[in-house]
Amino acid sequence: MKKILIIEDEKDIARMIDYNLKKEGYSTVLTHDGPAGVAAAARERPDLVILDLMLPGLDGLEVCRRLKKDDKTSGIAIIMLTAKSGETDRVVGLEMGADDYVAKPFSVRELLARVKAVLRRVSDKNEEREIYRSGDLLIDSSKVLVLVKNRPIELTAKEFELLRALVKAKGRVVSREGLLDLVWGIDAALELQTRTVDVHIMTLRKKLKSEGGRIVTVKNYGYRFET
Ligand code: CA
């Protein structure tokens, strides 16, 4: 059972989130201020933290920073609850390592969808220690290493994740929207253009040299990786 820590000082909202997560089969821990939240994260080791931005004691950004800095808690996924107008907070939060955010006021359905998506991404990341080898290409996910003809290829994090997402699809076509969601996250999928995917695919193909041609464009839809 996945465990979720809620750090939210508005008791009604906290209770509402708690109730709905439990109904979905998650186990929950509830705290109402920053310091208690940080302590509970270290003690309970949840899979995910739902973190309000405005909190007494320590604000959400500071809580996020502390969780990501500590080895014991750095692997925990974080969804931030932000104000609708808090563009800067969202950006800072995501830069600090939050995995997603939900703007207040939010619907229960939206929050649950994000919780599910973030937990899925995290478990995908954790289970990936496999080595993929095909033709002149070798991808070692545990080392974030790509070799073409035994020569290491320098990829950005996003390029690496794109390549891995395509290879994982085992020859199936993945839509550009699907790639945005898989690689950039559901938040970005709403704000970024699918063109972002195209631009990254272009540089990825170039860097993969002789293997680049295996990323096939499926017109007006997405991409697939020739296995
Ligand atoms: Ca608050």
Side-chain angles (χ1 to χ4, degrees), residues 110-125:
E110 185 192 0
L111 180 69
L112 291 176
R114 303 235 175 188
V115 164
K116 229 169 123 182
V118 167
L119 286 173
R120 192 196 64 214
R121 285 212 306 273
V122 170
S123 79
D124 278 357
K125 251 184 221 160

Side-chain angles (χ1 to χ4, degrees), residues 7 38 49 51-53 55 58-70 73-74 76 78 80 92-99:
I7 312 177
V38 173
V49 176
L51 175 60
D52 186 35
L53 193 66
L55 286 169
L58 292 170
D59 70 23
L61 290 177
E62 181 58 22
V63 170
C64 182
R65 203 178 64 78
R66 293 196 186 188
L67 294 184
K68 290 297 168 187
K69 215 178 63 181
D70 185 342
T73 54
S74 62
I76 301 171
I78 298 176
M80 291 257 220
V92 173
L94 292 174
E95 274 173 0
M96 271 188 186
D99 295 82

Side-chain angles (χ1 to χ4, degrees), residues 168-203:
K168 243 184 109 176
K170 299 188 169 113
R172 277 178 287 120
V173 188
V174 190
S175 71
R176 294 142 96 214
E177 287 80 8
L179 287 169
L180 261 186
D181 184 12
L182 283 167
V183 175
W184 279 267
I186 200 167
D187 53 307
L190 298 172
E191 287 174 10
L192 291 176
Q193 307 275 332
T194 47
R195 202 161 43 85
T196 307
V197 174
D198 302 336
V199 171
H200 280 76
I201 290 278
M202 224 163 64
T203 58

Side-chain angles (χ1 to χ4, degrees), residues 7-10 52-56 104:
I7 312 177
E8 163 66 272
D9 60 318
E10 282 166 80
D52 186 35
L53 193 66
M54 303 288 276
L55 286 169
K104 282 180 175 178

Side-chain angles (χ1 to χ4, degrees), residues 139-146 153 155-157 160-161 164:
I139 304 170
D140 185 341
S141 291
S142 62
K143 293 183 189 147
V144 195
L145 178 72
V146 175
I153 304 292
L155 299 181
T156 65
F160 184 84
E161 282 186 41
R164 206 171 51 177

